[in-house]
Amino acid sequence: MSKWTDYLKTLGAELNDQQTEISVENGESGCIAPLLHQRLLTITGPDTDKFLQGQLSCDLNQARTQGSLMASHCNVKGHMISLFRLIAIENGAHLRLHHELLETAQAALAKYIIFSKAEISRSEDMVGLGLLGSKAAELGRLATSEVPSEDNGVVINGNRLLIRVPGDRFELWLPEAEALELMPQLLEHAALTDSNSWLLSEVHAAIPDLRGSTSEAFIPQMTNLQALEGVSFTKGCYTGQEIVTRLQHRGQLKRPMYRLKATGTELPQAGDAIHSDAKENVGQVVFAARNGDAIELLAVVVKDQADNQTLHLASQSGPVAELLELPYELDPKMFEPKSRL
């Protein structure tokens, strides 16, 4: 992606040393966010769906019908190794994930794929753009002629994929060469924005993601993945399924994911501890973004502490973290103790 990142620099963008985050002067007013922090793994072959159905938490049949779904790959104990957006394509699927987990996710899936008529590879030539704000749909139409009407829907136009994601936003994935050709046209209608703007929109939509520091830290329901249709409890067996299903039907979810807001100058990092007035280490940061002078974040927190105590970042005397409303509902039955059979 060297040509892509070099091009972004000509637009006045600044990139971090890893070329995975972009900052733009006055970027908060823009609508086009290069998704430098995301990558694509691609599974192809006649056994793609069979293989992924036995490995990921989502239902591949539903993913084919809708176009895309959130999905996790768990270890045998039900903890998520990696977290994807699965995008259905002809004879295969893309798995969009955070760059920190690219090697980990590929290696974990490769252990099982050797028994299937399917192959896993990295789509190094594909780049992503996040389209958000009032002009998101207009930009999407410029890229693919039409836009998906429902969340998780996908429009495929040649090598371009446009996915509608919660919050009236879109992800556009396309080959680097096509992105270089398309960008001048997009920039006639909207401005470039930064990585933080996209991450903030993900926090607002309460869509989780994993980093290297949080790989294998959470069971899917701890990040509300079931509310995003990223977990199927009816499709049958997959790696870690027994633990995930047992929590759903016979257990009690004690650590869901919350939206939080706090003041402070230091941005929390994924995996950082959340504290309460009564107890240290009652939760973990999923990821955070800046919103003006405030910080907004997603965090997995002990429900009893979140409901009854004041939460803090960094330490028990650190910045107070205010609970914000989620954009979707969690089934209250998940938090009720269930009788043991």
Side-chain angles (χ1 to χ4, degrees), residues 38 56-60 62-63 66-73 80 82-87 95-97 152 163 165-166 169 171 202 206-210 223-232 235 287:
Q38 302 283 18
L56 303 188
S57 60
C58 73
D59 185 346
L60 264 292
Q62 182 182 356
Q66 294 193 22
S68 78
L69 279 181
M70 297 295 294
S72 62
H73 186 217
M80 297 188 293
S82 47
L83 183 55
F84 311 104
R85 174 168 289 279
L86 184 150
I87 308 163
L95 304 176
R96 192 270 290 140
L97 75 164
N152 297 322
I163 307 101
V165 296
R169 303 172 303 139
E171 290 187 25
E202 293 275 85
I207 297 178
D209 198 6
L210 293 182
T223 61
N224 305 347
L225 200 61
Q226 76 289 343
L228 296 164
E229 302 182 284
V231 185
S232 171
K235 72 166 189 168
F287 66 90

Side-chain angles (χ1 to χ4, degrees), residues 80 172 207 213 233 290 308 327:
M80 297 188 293
L172 173 64
I207 297 178
S213 58
F233 300 105
R290 298 190 183 279
N308 300 297

Side-chain angles (χ1 to χ4, degrees), residues 30-31 33 35 37 130-133 165-171 193-208 259 287-291 296 298 327:
C31 297
L35 302 179
H37 63 294
L131 310 178
L132 67 165
V165 296
D168 293 323
R169 303 172 303 139
F170 300 87
E171 290 187 25
T193 191
D194 55 22
S195 301
N196 183 81
S197 296
W198 183 258
L199 289 175
L200 182 61
S201 73
E202 293 275 85
V203 173
H204 288 168
I207 297 178
R259 282 183 62 211
F287 66 90
R290 298 190 183 279
N291 188 358
E296 295 193 26
L298 299 175

Side-chain angles (χ1 to χ4, degrees), residues 134-147:
S134 60
K135 295 187 177 181
E138 177 184 350
L139 297 171
R141 289 189 184 91
L142 288 172
T144 57
S145 298
E146 58 179 311
V147 299

Side-chain angles (χ1 to χ4, degrees), residues 25-335:
E25 187 175 356
N26 297 321
E28 66 275 4
S29 62
C31 297
I32 307 167
L35 302 179
L36 299 179
H37 63 294
Q38 302 283 18
R39 298 288 187 274
L40 292 182
L41 286 175
T42 303
I43 314 292
T44 55
D47 283 353
T48 292
D49 286 14
K50 179 181 178 181
F51 166 69
L52 293 176
Q53 190 79 312
Q55 293 300 319
L56 303 188
S57 60
C58 73
D59 185 346
L60 264 292
N61 296 321
Q62 182 182 356
R64 286 283 172 197
T65 299
Q66 294 193 22
S68 78
L69 279 181
M70 297 295 294
S72 62
H73 186 217
C74 299
N75 61 24
V76 293
K77 296 182 179 179
H79 287 76
M80 297 188 293
I81 300 169
S82 47
L83 183 55
F84 311 104
R85 174 168 289 279
L86 184 150
I87 308 163
I89 59 174
E90 185 177 357
N91 195 40
H94 291 309
L95 304 176
R96 192 270 290 140
L97 75 164
H98 194 271
H99 74 92
E100 288 183 4
L101 290 179
L102 184 64
E103 292 185 7
T104 299
Q106 184 173 4
L109 289 168
K111 289 192 301 183
Y112 300 95
I113 205 169
I114 57 175
F115 304 109
S116 302
K117 294 179 181 178
E119 297 180 352
I120 184 170
S121 61
R122 302 181 188 184
S123 296
E124 302 282 9
D125 183 51
M126 297 286 280
V127 299
L129 291 171
L131 310 178
L132 67 165
S134 60
K135 295 187 177 181
E138 177 184 350
L139 297 171
R141 289 189 184 91
L142 288 172
T144 57
S145 298
E146 58 179 311
V147 299
S149 59
E150 302 288 341
D151 287 349
N152 297 322
V154 179
V155 167
I156 299 177
N157 187 337
N159 295 315
R160 301 178 184 182
L161 302 102
L162 184 69
I163 307 101
R164 181 184 283 271
V165 296
D168 293 323
R169 303 172 303 139
F170 300 87
E171 290 187 25
L172 173 64
W173 288 92
L174 69 172
E176 179 185 68
E178 293 190 23
L180 292 169
E181 292 178 1
L182 179 65
M183 276 297 286
Q185 183 181 2
L186 296 180
L187 291 170
E188 291 178 4
H189 299 268
L192 200 65
T193 191
D194 55 22
S195 301
N196 183 81
S197 296
W198 183 258
L199 289 175
L200 182 61
S201 73
E202 293 275 85
V203 173
H204 288 168
I207 297 178
D209 198 6
L210 293 182
R211 308 287 192 266
S213 58
T214 50
S215 177
E216 301 190 68
F218 309 124
I219 290 173
Q221 293 98 315
M222 293 169 67
T223 61
N224 305 347
L225 200 61
Q226 76 289 343
L228 296 164
E229 302 182 284
V231 185
S232 171
F233 300 105
T234 60
K235 72 166 189 168
C237 294
Y238 58 90
T239 304
Q241 175 263 340
E242 182 179 355
I243 304 300
V244 175
T245 302
R246 183 187 302 161
L247 173 60
Q248 188 73 15
H249 297 300
R250 299 177 61 183
Q252 179 183 8
L253 181 60
K254 297 181 179 181
R255 289 175 176 257
M257 187 177 73
Y258 292 86
R259 282 183 62 211
L260 303 174
K261 183 177 182 179
T263 57
T265 57
E266 187 171 348
L267 191 69
Q269 299 301 303
D272 284 358
I274 301 291
H275 310 278
S276 76
D277 283 342
K279 192 175 182 180
E280 293 185 333
N281 298 320
V282 299
Q284 279 185 284
V285 173
V286 177
F287 66 90
R290 298 190 183 279
N291 188 358
D293 295 331
I295 293 169
E296 295 193 26
L297 63 148
L298 299 175
V300 173
V301 185
V302 175
K303 189 175 189 299
D304 178 66
Q305 296 292 310
D307 290 348
N308 300 297
Q309 301 289 334
T310 300
L311 301 179
H312 299 268
L313 306 182
S315 70
Q316 285 184 291
S317 59
V320 171
E322 170 193 357
L323 293 180
L324 299 178
E325 186 176 354
L326 290 170
Y328 45 74
E329 293 186 6
L330 299 179
D331 184 355
K333 293 181 180 179
M334 294 186 63
F335 306 111

